[in-house]
Amino acid sequence: MSGPELFRNREIVRGLADNIARLTADLSAPLTFMEVCGTHTMAIARYGIRSLLPPEVRLISGPGCPVCVTPIGYVDRAVAYARRPETLIVTFGDMLRVPGSSSSLMQERARGADVRIVYSALDAVALAARHADRQVVFLGVGFETTAPTVAASILAADAQGLTNYFVLGANKTIPIPMQVLSADPAMAIDGYLCPAHVSTVIGAGAYRFLAEKHALPCVVTGFEPADVMHGLLMLVRQHVERRCAVEIQYSRFVDSQGNRKAQALLDEVFIPVDTAWRGIGVIPQSGLAITPRYAAFDAEKALPVPVEEPREAPGCLCGEVLKGKVMPPECPLFGTVCTPEDPVGACMVSSEGSCAAAYKYGT
Amino acid sequence: MCLAVPMQVIHSDGEVVIAEIDGVKRQASLIMLDAEVRTGDYVLIHAGFAIGKLDTDEALETLALMRECLAAQQGEA
Ligand code: SF4
């Protein structure tokens, strides 16, 4: 009765789009909104949202694809572990094809490495319990929705007394990079569609500094097509009414405080650290490192391994795509040299990557 | 990877739920959920954990707001 299908109604989507067109008809300059989250990027491409919008509203994609923003050196380290016969690599599916400097986990698996795909970090803990003779390394990539599940896996391994479960961590947080991107004068961002599911964890209050200190309208928006259109309409309205606030379109799942239990898991297991974002560089306090208390589960600390010198693929514009500066088809390799079957950059691999979205839905 | 999905609860034992959408079933831990969960509720499932519960009143309110836009427009035309 209140399932997701209600928010896919075409008539509603069109009606919202018409409202946007009416409100923006007299604007002297177009509005540029950034969708931060890869799932929004996918939804916008899949439901043809751009084709329904007036030319006065421009959408650019941000850095919210966790696989895409993970530096190449991380993949290289995972590959180095995969090459050790005593290691069992456990990962979410997205990481498998991501190209490292000289190899990918998929290539290593073809050469005999033991790389397993799981749905939950708890499945990785179960594998560690079952394979006491192996070192199980879980690739902990993702934002605030995924990070608490990784934290929970470390606590579960700790409670079970496992000494062969390790997390190669690259968990990141979203709000600070949004501020860094908007500070770039070349970007001229007029507002943010804030992630739906990250916000269930961190709460809409986490974006307040963007609206209040940096005068950026923010709307936490759901992933169904009517949600996206509604979120855009709310951004346009803020602009027309000259307001900068954090509003919640996705109020059926998000409030301003977020999920306290998930936040408590994050606080127990992780501490904020400066971390590198592919294409963007180091962003202060935007990474989640495992606290010293759980260092025994931190692969980087507990399992030293030589890692090759990182080399980015020549010609790949992923970094510019992630900043919203280049649209995927503008990359000379797009669709010719670089395809989802044979990707050059991470943006073409992940189901949330901008290049993959543009390729799949031809936008 | 960030693909959390709203699914309808078909069974709950207070610690773990089984939820379903479009014929796909998933099991999820409830350790991250504050609210009580009953059969028929929609929960947000992400990588083996329920991370949120749908607020039905808010969902209906959002739909009503969306429909209002539609009505305002048709009234004008
Ligand atoms: S199309 Fe391929 S090579 Fe070009 S930016 Fe995207 S991922 Fe990189």
Side-chain angles (χ1 to χ4, degrees):
Chain A
M1 150 77 204
S2 40
E5 66 286 346
L6 291 174
F7 298 90
R8 289 179 200 149
N9 181 305
R10 275 161 187 259
E11 202 191 348
I12 291 183
V13 174
R14 275 230 181 86
L16 294 166
D18 290 345
N19 271 273
I20 292 174
R22 195 160 43 85
L23 283 176
T24 53
D26 303 326
L27 289 182
S28 50
L31 295 171
T32 302
F33 299 130
M34 175 176 270
E35 92 274 0
V36 185
C37 177
T39 310
H40 275 139
T41 304
M42 265 301 167
I44 287 164
R46 173 165 171 201
Y47 297 112
I49 299 287
R50 276 196 184 82
S51 67
L52 297 172
L53 288 171
E56 287 79 14
V57 176
R58 216 165 67 91
L59 293 183
I60 55 174
S61 305
C65 157
V67 169
C68 307
V69 295
T70 301
I72 199 160
Y74 179 89
V75 181
D76 294 341
R77 180 173 281 269
V79 163
Y81 285 134
R83 286 176 178 161
R84 304 181 342 155
E86 64 273 34
T87 315
L88 201 164
I89 298 279
V90 187
T91 178
F92 296 130
D94 282 30
M95 284 304 288
L96 204 62
R97 286 161 164 276
V98 177
S101 297
S102 66
S103 180
S104 68
L105 289 170
M106 183 127 113
Q107 280 167 294
E108 292 307 314
R109 189 159 78 168
R111 286 185 200 127
D114 196 346
V115 180
R116 315 239 185 137
I117 293 176
V118 289
Y119 166 66
S120 165
L122 293 181
D123 301 338
V125 177
L127 277 169
R130 235 180 297 137
H131 298 274
D133 54 326
R134 312 282 298 279
Q135 292 171 339
V136 172
V137 175
F138 178 68
L139 305 186
V141 175
F143 296 122
E144 293 97 325
T145 14
T146 312
T149 73
V150 177
S153 80
I154 289 178
L155 296 180
D158 192 31
Q160 293 172 40
L162 296 178
T163 54
N164 65 327
Y165 179 68
F166 306 91
V167 170
L168 180 57
N171 287 117
K172 289 181 163 54
T173 53
I174 279 285
I176 296 174
M178 291 166 68
Q179 193 245 310
V180 170
L181 283 177
S182 64
D184 181 343
M187 299 296 295
I189 294 170
D190 295 300
Y192 280 113
L193 278 184
C194 299
H197 295 154
V198 158
S199 306
T200 60
V201 171
I202 63 175
Y207 309 103
R208 207 171 289 138
F209 75 106
L210 290 166
E212 289 170 5
K213 281 209 194 118
H214 302 279
L216 285 161
C218 289
V219 177
V220 176
T221 304
F223 290 133
E224 300 299 339
D227 289 324
V228 175
M229 216 41 117
H230 192 204
L232 289 168
L233 175 61
M234 289 166 77
L235 281 172
V236 167
R237 274 199 197 129
Q238 284 199 39
H239 185 83
V240 171
E241 293 162 12
R242 299 185 183 283
R243 290 185 296 121
C244 295
V246 179
E247 295 178 314
I248 308 174
Q249 185 280 330
Y250 198 45
S251 58
R252 59 191 189 274
F253 275 117
V254 175
D255 61 17
S256 62
Q257 284 88 40
N259 182 330
R260 295 262 164 85
K261 285 192 169 171
Q263 291 166 10
L265 285 168
L266 292 178
D267 291 345
E268 170 68 18
V269 175
F270 296 116
I271 35 165
V273 286
D274 300 354
T275 199
W277 292 59
R278 198 170 192 170
I280 301 174
V282 172
I283 302 180
Q285 302 295 293
S286 65
L288 294 171
I290 297 171
T291 59
R293 172 149 187 227
Y294 297 102
F297 301 98
D298 186 341
E300 249 188 286
K301 297 225 171 74
L303 303 176
V305 70
V307 180
E308 66 192 293
E309 215 27 65
R311 269 180 302 115
E312 295 286 346
C316 174
L317 298 180
C318 262
E320 299 305 297
V321 169
L322 287 166
K323 281 185 287 196
K325 287 196 170 167
V326 161
M327 294 298 232
E330 290 164 28
C331 171
L333 308 186
F334 179 85
T336 52
V337 179
C338 180
T339 62
E341 293 72 45
D342 196 7
V344 175
C347 301
M348 188 58 97
V349 184
S350 170
S351 56
E352 297 160 276
S354 298
C355 297
Y359 187 88
K360 187 163 174 201
Y361 299 108
T363 48
Chain B
M1 165 167 307
C2 268
L3 297 183
V5 183
M7 301 178 100
Q8 195 162 28
V9 174
I10 53 175
H11 177 78
S12 170
D13 69 2
E15 282 176 25
V16 170
V17 288
I18 297 172
E20 180 177 18
I21 190 111
D22 301 334
V24 179
K25 287 195 186 102
R26 290 268 189 232
Q27 184 179 312
S29 158
L30 288 174
I31 62 162
M32 279 184 220
L33 217 57
D34 250 333
E36 220 178 283
V37 171
R38 294 207 193 91
T39 305
D41 287 344
Y42 278 89
V43 287
L44 197 58
I45 306 272
H46 179 65
F49 294 83
I51 58 168
K53 180 179 156 186
L54 181 127
D55 183 327
T56 311
D57 293 342
E58 288 288 346
L60 295 175
E61 168 89 26
T62 304
L63 272 175
L65 282 173
M66 290 173 169
R67 292 224 174 87
E68 238 170 65
C69 292
L70 206 61
Q73 181 125 18
Q74 282 163 352
E76 251 170 51

